[in-house]
Amino acid sequence: MSLLTPRVKKESLVLGQLHLSDNKCTAIIQYTKSEYVEISLLIITSQQNPRVMTLTPFLIFGHGKAIHRMGLNGKNHRRLVPGVGSSILLDFHFKEQRVYWVDRHTGKLYSYDKHISGLAVDWIWNSVYWTSGEKGEVKRIDINGKKQRTLLRHLTQPNSISVDPSNRFLFWLSGGMSPSIQRSDVTGQMKITLIKITEQLRALSIDRVDKRLFWVQFGPQGESAIASCDYNGNALHTMNLPLQSHSVGISVFLEHIYYTDSESRVIKQVNKYTGGEPHVVNIKQMGKPPVDIKIVHPLNQPTADPLSPFPGYSVCQCSEGFVLSMEGTYCKDVNECAHWNHGCSLGCENIPGSYFCTCPKGYALLPDRKTCQEIIPCERNMTKCGNGCLSTGNGAVCVCPEGSILQEDGQTCTGCSSADRGGCSQLCNPVTPVSWECGCLPGYQLHQDGKHCIATGPPSYLLVANLVDVRRINPDGTVDQILAEEPRGIIVALDYDPVQNNVYFASTSQKTIERVDIKGGPRNILISDGLDSPEGLAVDWVHRKMYWTDKRRSTVDCSTLDGLHRETIVRKGLEKPRGIAVHPLAKKLFWTDIGTHPVVECSSLEGRDRAVIARTNLVSPTGLTIDFTEDRVFWCDQRKGTIETAALDGSDRRVLSKNQVGQPFDLALFEDRLWISDQERHQLTSVHKRTGKTLQWIQGSMVQPASIVVVHPLAKPGADMCLHLKGGCSQVCESKMGFAHCSCFSHYILSADGKTCLTVDASNGTAGDVSCVLFYTVLQLTAPIFVLDIDECNLGIYNCDKNEECQNTAGKYYCKCLAGYYSDGQTCQGDRFLLLTYPGPYWHILISCPATYETYCLYHGVCFYFPELDSYACNCVSGYMGERCQFSDLEWLELQRAEKEKKRNVVITACMVVLVSLLSITACVTYCYG
């Protein structure tokens, strides 16, 4: 038994501690009215009762005046320690198997600082951090009660502090008039504001696996949500979630978020990626509301190693392929190829953290990935091999192209250069000839499986032409809204415009094309003359046109989105055109023809440059759709029950699905799912867009589903959301990823609605009404009065910051941030990226290399990545040079000297040849004429 009695100043934090394994309170907390507070910490160990560290995750939370624990399944609910206070903050130290708490209201028993608003335990450096909301301070103390210090002062209502000791970051919420999320290092230095939010912020938590921050926010109208961002304040994601009380605690574990709801007295769980309906964790109703919450598990404190033979000590360890430096402070790459123990039969190439074997042309690696063997022609039964075969003891196996590897069947390849693209949903980036990494297009986030891309923003839904109506359907099959009804009509074609949020549909019975708002409302008839059987409709949301097929008139027509300037663009050779789709970015139009010679065709948007996509093995091709992420076209054959796909030029044609859908009529594609309307089963079906597998059905009361489209800001890329009414923005509108992002000119600030701008009163920093002052020069001539705009930018009578440039407009000017700077509503701040200029007309963004390239630069060089050039560069330390800092100064000089010597020798040789030639010519002239 040992007794520690540290002495700290009376304003410092005095903590209660609980031993998690034996459930006994091992801290005796006392304080007096003298200048110092005495903390007695009694640590009890026993040979008969050794400390047992469980790996089963469980919840700890405040409940009444006690701390309780509960399994993630709601079972094993019991009290850990009583008498801790009615409103506590808590955290834990997994390696020490202790929980820490403080009563933030009374200050009695556990703290003499009565205004504690946040508590966090650093399990690596064995410290406790807390925020004082009223004093505006962040403080720190060792867990043994020593070395108390104030890290930050003059903050605005700091609360909900969290720590990531692995990355040496502190995060906390800031209250007041401008709520924000702030970050500093663990010493209180390098303080920055990550995000400014108009909503009230509550309960901050860290996802240390994905390196993201999660928090709860409440809007002025009572709306609530759980939002998240990365450690730099980027990649913001918001999930709307109804919460009944502002008193909430939150904790993240693996793919779930756990939070307390004090109003309903429950603990709930929700998926951190997809949101959805929350799941109640506790089985029985709680008698008192739960407060604060933490998940106890080593994954939430990743360096806490319960199996370490040296508890209490921190030792740096390196991943495989790296070795600890002599100083023991960093890891450096091991060049396996230089050690000659790599096992490669011929070539070897080193990469950071690993290596791979190579073969000369005409040879390929055997499945052991080390031995090279000559490529031979394949036998007849190896029909899937397109790059030759290798002879092995188990028979012939296929050769895969560089960037792919052979799967277990010995015939199918997987990788960036193969048909499956390495299993990547969107982007496949080769790392080595036998490995790759998946990536996503802007607006999408990589799923935790490292392969699939998930669209950010609101959830998607479907628009379906249901013969007698047009309806919105959620992916789970629930009908959200009926937009238009036609009891005696036949509606089979529809599409929508994401810019003005209008749905366009065609009725073959009424022989009309109509328009309705995507939220419902009155219908507008756009075209009612000269239609016979409009069965296909497509909206060009970029060039603002609509196209439709008329099966009986055998034409493809187009007009503006208001039904004006109508013209027939394709007529010749058409029989019964049906489905139609437009690719505005590629400026191509695609349609199907179900006549006696069925075909899938394409042309330009004007109907010129017609080309055949597919003509053979077709019976009745009806609907088709475009995959804009991969530039592929998909179509279905209603009579054959097949679904096929090809590149936009008709190459690489593949059968995706056979006999899985009874009578497919139309298709829609988003993310990895291909949606199909099945007119035989009167339902919607979805399959994976590459494999045709993972068949899913949407059960619903549909009469006859026909055309379908997916509605999401990313479903129709390239839309200019500022085209219509400036996207609702009062000053500056920028279209990004299907959204209109509003901003303001310099000296204006964006209001809470995110659309309008307010002037900033320099005297008191408050926002006032917008007042626009236009400057004109009026010239009185003999003719009527003319108004001439003054170019303030040319005349130099503008008032822009040094980080801004002047932009002249009619009657006024505005200040625009230079490249690399962003507006905070008043001034232009430096970007989070470092900007470098190179000779030439381009600016290049320079960011840090990914973790896999940390050792790309040798001899302690710093690696940087240029996204625009898709290349890496090194910043070498003094004494080293070269593309990867591979040469010392002396080696570099020797190479330079050798190169100069080579050039000098070439020049001397050329001069000697010229001199000899001149002498020869002179001798010939002298001999002939002398």
Side-chain angles (χ1 to χ4, degrees), residues 22 52 147 158 191 199 300 330 353 374 386 394 404 418 431 437 473 495 539 551 558 601 604 659 674 757 792 829:
D22 55 16
V52 179
K147 297 181 180 179
K191 183 179 82 70
E199 290 84 0
N300 274 1
Y330 66 92
E374 186 177 6
N394 297 323
S404 297
S418 298
V431 178
E437 290 180 348
I473 296 182
D495 202 354
V539 170
K551 189 175 70 172
C558 79
E601 286 189 87
S604 68
N659 302 321
L674 180 66
C757 296
E792 295 88 353
Q829 303 292 329

Side-chain angles (χ1 to χ4, degrees), residues 552-567:
R552 293 178 185 170
R553 295 179 67 243
S554 302
T555 59
V556 174
D557 298 84
C558 79
S559 73
T560 66
L561 293 183
D562 293 321
L564 305 176
H565 306 296
R566 175 181 172 182
E567 62 176 323

Side-chain angles (χ1 to χ4, degrees), residues 576-590:
K576 295 180 179 180
R578 175 171 277 184
I580 190 168
V582 62
H583 194 318
L585 305 182
K587 296 183 179 180
K588 284 192 172 186
L589 193 65
F590 299 82

Side-chain angles (χ1 to χ4, degrees), residues 46-169:
S46 172
Q47 297 294 333
Q48 288 77 25
N49 186 20
R51 185 177 301 180
V52 179
M53 307 186 84
T54 177
L55 293 181
T56 303
F58 61 92
L59 302 161
I60 56 173
F61 55 95
H63 186 237
K65 293 186 177 182
I67 297 176
H68 285 229
R69 64 166 286 170
M70 178 191 297
L72 300 189
N73 57 2
K75 299 180 180 179
N76 301 320
H77 181 187
R78 53 193 173 89
R79 186 176 64 183
L80 282 179
V81 59
V84 298
S86 60
S87 180
I88 65 166
L89 299 167
L90 55 85
D91 205 349
F92 67 97
H93 192 309
F94 186 85
K95 181 184 288 187
E96 297 295 330
Q97 286 285 278
R98 296 185 184 277
V99 61
Y100 295 75
W101 72 89
V102 61
D103 188 338
R104 56 183 168 182
H105 279 183
T106 65
K108 297 179 181 179
L109 296 178
Y110 307 109
S111 172
Y112 208 82
D113 188 345
K114 296 184 179 181
H115 309 288
I116 294 174
S117 54
L119 176 71
V121 174
D122 182 336
W123 62 92
I124 294 181
W125 306 104
N126 295 324
S127 305
V128 177
Y129 298 87
W130 72 96
T131 54
S132 177
E134 184 167 307
K135 294 181 180 180
E137 296 176 343
V138 174
K139 298 183 180 181
R140 173 198 174 278
I141 194 171
D142 289 348
I143 59 174
N144 58 9
K146 297 180 179 180
K147 297 181 180 179
Q148 182 215 348
R149 56 177 296 212
T150 300
L151 301 180
L152 291 159
R153 305 176 188 271
H154 310 301
L155 303 177
T156 304
Q157 299 177 17
N159 63 89
S160 298
I161 191 169
S162 292
V163 61
D164 186 344
S166 301
N167 293 279
R168 300 183 63 79
F169 283 146

Side-chain angles (χ1 to χ4, degrees), residues 290-408:
V291 293
D292 211 356
I293 187 171
K294 292 291 184 296
I295 310 293
V296 179
H297 193 270
L299 287 178
N300 274 1
Q301 292 186 353
T303 58
D305 183 8
L307 303 179
S308 172
F310 306 106
Y313 292 89
S314 298
V315 180
C316 294
Q317 295 180 345
C318 297
S319 304
E320 185 178 357
F322 295 88
V323 65
L324 199 63
S325 65
M326 295 184 64
E327 297 84 358
T329 57
Y330 66 92
C331 297
K332 58 182 182 180
D333 178 43
V334 175
N335 188 348
E336 294 87 352
C337 296
H339 293 168
W340 294 105
N341 61 352
H342 45 72
C344 299
S345 64
L346 291 179
C348 176
E349 185 167 339
N350 184 66
I351 57 174
S354 185
Y355 70 97
F356 59 89
C357 301
T358 59
C359 297
K361 188 176 181 180
Y363 289 78
L365 290 171
L366 290 174
D368 64 3
R369 309 308 305 168
K370 293 182 179 293
T371 307
C372 293
Q373 193 172 86
E374 186 177 6
I375 299 174
I376 60 174
C378 297
E379 299 175 359
R380 293 182 178 179
N381 60 340
M382 306 290 285
T383 56
K384 295 182 180 180
C385 300
N387 296 275
C389 289
L390 294 175
S391 178
T392 68
N394 297 323
V397 296
C398 291
V399 174
C400 292
E402 185 174 340
S404 297
I405 59 175
L406 194 65
Q407 299 199 70
E408 294 181 358

Side-chain angles (χ1 to χ4, degrees), residues 391-437:
S391 178
T392 68
N394 297 323
V397 296
C398 291
V399 174
C400 292
E402 185 174 340
S404 297
I405 59 175
L406 194 65
Q407 299 199 70
E408 294 181 358
D409 61 4
Q411 294 192 27
T412 310
C413 298
T414 180
C416 294
S417 54
S418 298
D420 71 341
R421 297 180 57 81
C424 297
S425 175
Q426 291 181 357
L427 304 180
C428 185
N429 304 311
V431 178
T432 72
V434 295
S435 63
W436 55 89
E437 290 180 348

